[in-house]
Amino acid sequence: MKSHDCHMLMMQILPVAIRGIMDEHVRETLFGLCNFFDVISRKSIGVKQLEMLQEEIVVILCKLEIYFPPAFFDIMVHLLVHVVDDIIHLGPTFLHNMMPFERMNGVIKGFVRNRSRPDGSIAKGFLTSECISFCQNYLTEDEDVGLPTRKHLGRLAGYGHREGYRALHAGIAGRRADFDRAHRVALQHIELVDPWMEEHKSLIEQKYIDLGRPRKMGEVSREHNSTFTGWFKKRLLDNPPQTPSTEDQQLIFSLSQGPAHNLRTYQSYDINGYRFYTEEKDKSSEYQNSGVTMLSFADDEATVKERFFGRIEEIWELD
């Protein structure tokens, strides 16, 4: 069996097969093991949930050591203790499983024509495929033999597919907070805005000093995030930036005014060489790619505080 078959047996079939047999304490322990594999295979998983899973798998392995003979335990069973750490550092398991390599092994097995010399058949078949692909690059404009070329490969600028509705100002009255949040996140990733961000933080810290209150970085950060966009807009209106470049002046002033109230929504979007889908689009797609990862940095912007995993619900493109 392939690893995918083993996954399905462990996560779906085994709990049903043993639900009426064995002693209850053994059965419940195996149910916990199956649930552990089911949870770690999901595309969206929280950091707090991972901490609970780490505690649960340690208890499950201890119980298995009590209920099963010593021959049951080997290095593979022990590796379950390290799975949660791998997910925290590398992301969800579906991003680094062995199933694509097993599919490639199935392609390589198709090269075997002489069963007494499988290694020679594989080498010759693979060389033939590479030679054909190499010649096609120079002789024809047809697609190469092998995996198809991704249509979105090399697209660094954003490009949406299946355009949705176009929302005007009257239609986004209830989404103003989302617009402000998106505006703030965009400003935080633009180096030209860094001097004003530092100035705003300094003003907030000075306010706490004038009030005689102890400065807490958490309070400063929260107030900075909630008030920066409004302060930045007013600051640029009262005192426009004096930069050498006229283009920089226009860009910074435009950024301070916030996004327009017109937007387009898409079901999929190409950017930086990848194609992302919404969660709704994933339900009807063969290849799913709506999972995203975001790093949360501490106030010094050098230490990663937390890693968040989630799914894309909507894709907006602001005018």
Side-chain angles (χ1 to χ4, degrees), residues 38 56-57 115 196 239 249 296 319:
D38 183 36
E56 291 177 3
I57 192 59
R115 294 185 178 273
W196 285 272
N239 187 13
Q249 291 181 5
S296 173
D319 289 347

Side-chain angles (χ1 to χ4, degrees), residues 9-74:
L9 285 173
M10 178 66 71
M11 294 186 297
Q12 307 295 335
I13 301 177
L14 184 61
V16 178
I18 65 174
R19 60 183 177 178
I21 61 176
M22 297 184 180
D23 296 333
E24 183 178 359
H25 60 281
V26 179
R27 184 172 63 247
E28 293 298 328
T29 304
L30 293 178
F31 283 165
L33 183 64
C34 297
N35 180 69
F36 174 78
F37 280 100
D38 183 36
V39 175
I40 65 174
S41 300
R42 297 174 184 173
K43 288 194 172 182
S44 179
I45 185 169
V47 177
K48 294 183 179 179
Q49 190 177 16
L50 289 174
E51 296 175 357
M52 297 174 56
L53 287 175
Q54 180 65 28
E55 298 177 358
E56 291 177 3
I57 192 59
V58 172
V59 175
I60 290 173
L61 293 181
C62 291
K63 291 182 179 180
L64 291 177
E65 190 172 0
I66 297 174
Y67 303 148
F68 285 80
F72 173 78
F73 291 89
D74 54 18

